[in-house]
Amino acid sequence: MDVAVLGASMTPFGTREPWVRELATDAAIACLDDAGVDPSALDHLYLSNMASGEFEGQTGVMNAVAHDIGAVPAYTQRVGQTSASGGAGLYAAWQSIASGASELTLLVGAEKMTQQSTGEAGDVIASLTHPAEYAHGVTLPSFAGLTARTYLERYDAPRESLAHVAVKNHQNARRNPDAQFQKDLDIETAMSSPVVAEPLRLYDYCPLTDGSAALLFCPVSVAREYTDEFVVLSGVGGATDTHVVHERDDPTWMSAVANSGRQAFEMAGCGPADIDVAELHDMVTLLEILQLEAFGFAERGEGWRFAVNGTTALDGSLPVNPSGGLKARGHPLGATGVAQAVEIYRQLLGKVDGRQVDAERGLTCNVGGFGNCVTSAVLEVAE
Amino acid sequence: MTERASSTDRDVEHHQLLAHGCQNDHFTVPGHPRCPACGEPQEKTLDLTKKTGIVKTWTRVAATPPGVREPNTLAIVEFALEVDTVSMLGGTIEQVSLGEQVRPVYIDTLRDADESVRQGANQSWGGFRFEPVSPDE
Ligand SMILES: [Zn+2]
């Protein structure tokens, strides 16, 4: 059964007062309103969230949302796949409709993080690592530092090429009122910001973020009963890489991105050349580059050129992260994969102000850990 | 250590740096219940405790979680085996550089588990950091 996306919403990303239950509820209601659908019609409700128990001592959020929005007795389930929970939720929502188990599915992603210090939040996220890694005090930003040194050395890529990714995504975020960062960044500022994990600096990394986003799904066959404005979730894929990062043959090759992308492209009957716009998982600038290579947009060792030469700019041949990406829209873990698809949905329907690109088919990629588990999705305009 | 301890915990308990391998000579550090490459049980070990390795990459982390030294220098070090290589992540005792030869040094407490999100009893907290092997050795 082909799967349609009927509606979308996101709450402003940044430092927010509401906690995860309310963030999720706000996005859920806004999404149902966007599609003009009554909550009592929902069959399934998925909540993508990484760590509300660890971040704020709140569990069972999916049930709370079902009750608070009037969706009882809909089936509900939390979807957890660390920082790829949102993308995994997209996969779960697709499965629910494609299998015929649900005729109307709401997916909500939410996370509340900013009440914690960078160190505390970093430790919650680092708790996904193997004991042999965790004992050393490793964080996700540390893996990025280790991998960036290898990439820059091996491919003789200039350090500035990473800063170009950050500058581009800040420029895009300034056109997105829901983005966390609303200020331009220049190369000099990025290059002189404090070191986080050599050779990477503060502006290579995404911030801590609170926020939520939601999407509504139904079979394509009944979509027109709700609206004429919908998009098709034509391909999804998901894959894992090693849990222990140093056991990979080549840490600069994101095999789970490549594998999940291959599945999504195959299901959608298209390839990288058919993608007009992409929302990639730029938790750190380097990852946007590595994903361009793993999906086959760029040759290995050449992805760094794309932000430098404008290929991935809003007016380039492949706009990447028009929303501002994780880097500048912000990265509320469980909400991110959902927000990526919200951006593509709006881009495909021509509903974006100030950063609209010309696109008929878009790609999302949500990464858990340091490429440990990845989901990819292809969305396209309805025929 | 309880009988449920993982191979990682047992290695730490014995202050040993062991690569764990299957019958097809695929080795990993840490060990796994089944070989990630071929699915066979890992039933042999190679002792790397007295060996030296090469720094493949390193970083110096300025912002660390509670209970972790700051800054925290980390490296991925590769050991040459008879038929293959095996890599591992570890802290470094002093600054290292790409390609430098280093040796493992056992450290009792790598971070303060009382301050970590992970429960203290969940895993071992000792392990190996690396120090450069001086040229005249
Ligand atoms: Zn094997």
Side-chain angles (χ1 to χ4, degrees):
Chain A
M1 210 161 325
D2 292 334
V3 178
V5 184
L6 286 179
S9 70
M10 70 175 278
T11 63
F13 279 14
T15 300
R16 299 284 312 281
E17 268 186 30
W19 295 77
V20 70
R21 184 178 49 78
E22 196 178 338
L23 287 170
T25 302
D26 287 351
I29 291 170
C31 184
L32 291 169
D33 287 351
D34 182 55
V37 169
D38 193 273
S40 62
L42 291 177
D43 290 327
H44 285 198
L45 166 60
Y46 295 92
L47 180 89
S48 293
N49 171 262
M50 173 171 169
S52 64
E54 293 80 356
F55 281 133
E56 60 181 90
Q58 168 82 57
T59 61
V61 181
M62 67 288 167
N63 195 177
V65 174
H67 188 186
D68 277 350
I69 68 170
V72 172
Y75 168 77
T76 191
Q77 181 190 327
R78 173 186 175 185
V79 183
Q81 205 191 79
T82 66
S83 39
S85 298
L90 211 54
Y91 205 148
W94 175 84
Q95 286 172 321
S96 75
I97 299 292
S99 66
S102 167
E103 292 203 329
L104 195 63
T105 293
L106 181 64
L107 167 65
V108 187
E111 206 87 45
K112 168 77 173 160
M113 306 166 70
T114 63
Q115 70 280 9
Q116 299 212 314
S117 69
T118 303
E120 290 166 342
D123 197 26
V124 169
I125 299 167
S127 71
L128 67 85
T129 59
H130 189 280
E133 301 174 316
Y134 188 77
H136 288 287
V138 76
T139 54
L140 275 295
S142 332
F143 286 128
L146 290 163
T147 308
R149 187 179 304 283
T150 301
Y151 184 88
L152 296 175
E153 283 275 333
R154 184 190 297 167
Y155 297 116
D156 203 21
R159 175 62 186 80
E160 287 84 351
S161 63
L162 302 178
H164 278 273
V165 174
V167 168
K168 166 182 71 75
N169 291 347
H170 271 255
Q171 277 170 354
N172 294 351
R174 216 163 57 80
R175 297 171 162 83
N176 179 358
D178 292 325
Q180 184 161 7
F181 290 134
Q182 297 289 339
K183 59 175 189 215
D184 273 335
L185 176 68
D186 58 61
I187 299 286
E188 293 70 33
T189 305
M191 293 291 291
S192 60
S193 61
V195 169
V196 171
E198 284 184 50
L200 301 176
R201 294 170 180 269
L202 184 64
Y203 279 111
D204 285 299
Y205 291 98
C206 68
L208 296 183
T209 311
D210 310 325
S212 56
L215 293 162
L216 186 65
F217 304 84
C218 76
V220 167
S221 55
V222 300
R224 286 192 206 281
E225 294 173 18
Y226 296 99
T227 177
D228 286 332
E229 282 197 326
F230 65 93
V231 309
V232 179
L233 177 56
S234 56
V236 289
T240 47
D241 201 342
T242 65
H243 179 211
V244 180
V245 172
H246 67 247
E247 287 187 40
R248 295 173 197 169
D249 289 338
D250 179 356
T252 70
W253 178 248
M254 301 186 79
S255 75
V257 172
N259 287 323
S260 70
R262 196 175 305 120
Q263 294 165 25
F265 286 141
E266 194 177 314
M267 189 187 294
C270 70
D274 303 308
I275 297 297
D276 303 314
V277 59
E279 284 278 314
L280 304 183
H281 192 101
D282 57 332
M283 173 278 272
V284 58
T285 50
L286 176 74
L287 284 191
E288 180 174 309
I289 294 167
L290 298 187
Q291 283 157 67
L292 287 169
E293 297 180 10
F295 279 120
F297 295 117
E299 297 289 320
R300 281 173 92 153
E302 299 288 325
W304 63 268
R305 298 183 192 276
F306 279 37
V308 176
N309 66 22
T311 302
T312 48
L314 276 184
D315 59 355
S317 58
L318 177 68
V320 171
N321 288 322
S323 69
L326 284 61
K327 173 71 200 77
R329 178 192 56 217
H331 181 27
L333 306 166
T336 287
V338 182
Q340 291 177 318
V342 169
E343 175 72 11
I344 298 296
Y345 164 90
R346 290 175 174 168
Q347 289 283 357
L348 295 178
L349 290 178
K351 286 178 146 182
V352 180
D353 262 344
R355 61 182 195 284
Q356 180 68 51
V357 301
D358 184 19
E360 294 195 340
R361 195 180 275 117
L363 173 75
T364 63
C365 180
N366 197 195
V367 173
F370 198 67
N372 303 14
C373 45
V374 176
T375 57
S376 301
V378 175
L379 298 106
E380 50 194 275
V381 295
E383 284 178 11
Chain B
M1 236 6 95
T2 69
E3 59 180 324
R4 290 175 55 245
S6 70
S7 62
T8 312
D9 294 324
R10 284 193 298 273
D11 295 351
V12 169
E13 187 189 15
H14 297 125
H15 297 196
Q16 280 182 309
L17 180 53
L18 298 180
H20 295 259
C22 67
Q23 62 189 31
N24 297 317
D25 281 330
H26 308 124
F27 283 90
T28 64
V29 182
H32 299 276
R34 292 289 181 276
C35 171
C38 70
E40 295 293 330
Q42 288 185 329
E43 49 202 14
K44 54 187 177 185
T45 57
L46 280 176
D47 192 350
L48 306 176
T49 316
K50 300 271 193 279
K51 298 241 193 295
T52 62
I54 297 294
V55 174
K56 299 298 283 182
T57 185
W58 63 273
T59 187
R60 198 159 65 101
V61 185
T64 60
V68 176
R69 63 182 180 157
E70 194 171 292
N72 191 21
T73 48
L74 297 165
I76 292 178
V77 172
E78 184 180 273
F79 292 85
L81 308 179
E82 256 175 51
V83 287
D84 204 356
T85 59
V86 67
S87 294
M88 65 168 289
L89 174 81
T92 70
I93 286 168
E94 53 189 276
Q95 181 82 39
V96 295
S97 54
L98 286 182
E100 191 167 11
Q101 198 174 20
V102 293
R103 70 173 152 228
V105 177
Y106 184 77
I107 306 288
D108 273 331
T109 307
L110 294 168
R111 66 185 287 177
D112 182 356
D114 289 343
E115 294 194 48
S116 68
V117 165
R118 190 166 292 172
Q119 300 272 313
N122 175 283
Q123 66 164 79
S124 305
W125 302 94
F128 289 85
R129 286 182 182 149
F130 296 101
E131 68 176 8
V133 177
S134 57
D136 54 350
E137 282 180 55

